[in-house]
């Protein structure tokens, strides 16, 4: 699947964002090794700290459906430059995806930037330590 195709699915998922507190809508789409695509959007809560990012919604949806191998992930928001995943999402991606996994970052203007997760989070907490 091309970067653009995955970004388009993330753009559609962004439409479902529940972001009445920040008004910042985010969409994500995950291409799995078996070809399935799982999408997500951010889901905010009136108790703000309970809000969940779009990337982690997509990843947790996939895991909960028994999918454990991933190819690439796209994230999109209405930003001037392609949106970057937050630190928490970088850690989750780093934990579950191969080091070289492409993180495709996009905005609504059609700008796309692709950076491997190991470059976005070069020194993660490493679960193999324990
Ligand atoms: N958000 C995401 O969905 N992904 C990120 O990587 C960064 C932030 C959401 C969380 C919150 O609902 C809104 O964007 C503003 O921070």
């Amino acid at each position: 699947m091309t970067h653009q195709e995955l970004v388009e699915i993330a753009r559609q998922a962004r439409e479902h964002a529940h972001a009445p507190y920040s008004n910042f809508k985010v969409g994500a789409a995950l291409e799995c090794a078996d070809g399935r695509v799982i999408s997500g959007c951010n889901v905010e809560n009136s108790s703000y700290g309970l809000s969940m990012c779009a990337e982690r919604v997509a990843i947790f949806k996939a895991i909960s459906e028994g999918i454990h191998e991933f190819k690439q992930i796209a994230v999109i928001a209405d930003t001037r430059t392609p949106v970057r995943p937050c630190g928490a999402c970088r850690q989750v991606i780093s934990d579950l995806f191969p080091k070289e996994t492409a993180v495709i970052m996009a905005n609504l203007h059609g700008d796309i930037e692709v950076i491997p997760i190991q470059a976005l989070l070069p020194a993660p907490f490493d679960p193999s330590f324990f």
Side-chain angles (χ1 to χ4, degrees), residues 9-121:
I9 295 167
R11 193 192 62 72
Q12 290 171 24
R14 179 180 168 276
E15 298 293 322
H16 302 302
H18 179 70
Y21 306 105
S22 71
N23 284 314
F24 187 74
K25 295 181 170 191
V26 185
L30 187 54
E31 186 185 12
C32 309
D34 65 4
R36 273 187 282 179
V37 176
I38 306 288
S39 63
C41 61
N42 55 329
V43 183
E44 296 185 347
N45 191 271
S46 57
S47 178
Y48 298 167
L50 302 183
S51 301
M52 183 54 63
C53 292
E55 300 93 315
R56 278 178 285 160
V57 168
I59 294 166
F60 296 164
K61 276 173 69 181
I63 295 283
S64 72
E65 293 184 18
I67 304 170
H68 292 274
E69 285 179 48
F70 307 110
K71 276 191 202 156
Q72 50 183 354
I73 183 168
V75 56
I76 189 167
D78 187 9
T79 42
R80 196 169 45 79
T81 55
V83 66
R84 302 281 173 88
C86 78
C89 290
R90 292 180 197 205
Q91 176 65 39
V92 170
I93 296 167
S94 171
D95 240 43
L96 295 169
F97 292 46
K99 287 197 290 288
E100 310 74 26
T101 301
V103 179
I104 304 155
M105 296 159 286
N107 62 16
L108 298 182
H109 307 296
D111 303 315
I112 292 183
E113 189 177 9
V114 185
I115 301 180
I117 186 57
Q118 63 186 341
L120 282 179
L121 188 66

